[in-house]
Amino acid sequence: GPVNVVGPEQVTSRDFAKTLGAVLHRPAVLPAPAFALKLAMGQMAEEALLGGQRVRPARLQATDYAFRHATLEDALRHTLGR
């Protein structure tokens, strides 16, 4: 059946930005204000950037699936070749 193909670690947008900044060795200091994103992108900002999803790979975890990249940092390092 269908599964959620996501990592086992749930992260916030802030955590993602901090981890990405660390992997790229760049600062991730200033958050983007919601009004600026909405001004620049309209409704798409709400749907793609500002809305949240709490997705868990429950079915995969129930089968003891071995994630190749179990943490966000590991997945980003692999994807970005860092």
Side-chain angles (χ1 to χ4, degrees), residues 4 8 13 16 27-28 34-35 39 47 56-57 60 62 65 68-69 77 81:
N4 288 317
S13 294
F16 183 87
F35 78 88
L39 185 63
E47 295 168 2
R56 290 186 18 221
L60 292 176
Y65 178 80
R68 184 177 296 167
H69 306 290
R77 287 189 185 283

Side-chain angles (χ1 to χ4, degrees), residues 20-52:
L20 181 61
V23 168
L24 295 175
H25 304 291
R26 302 190 190 235
V29 181
L30 300 174
F35 78 88
L37 293 173
K38 288 179 185 177
L39 185 63
M41 299 179 65
Q43 184 62 29
M44 182 187 241
E46 188 68 45
E47 295 168 2
L49 301 174
L50 301 173

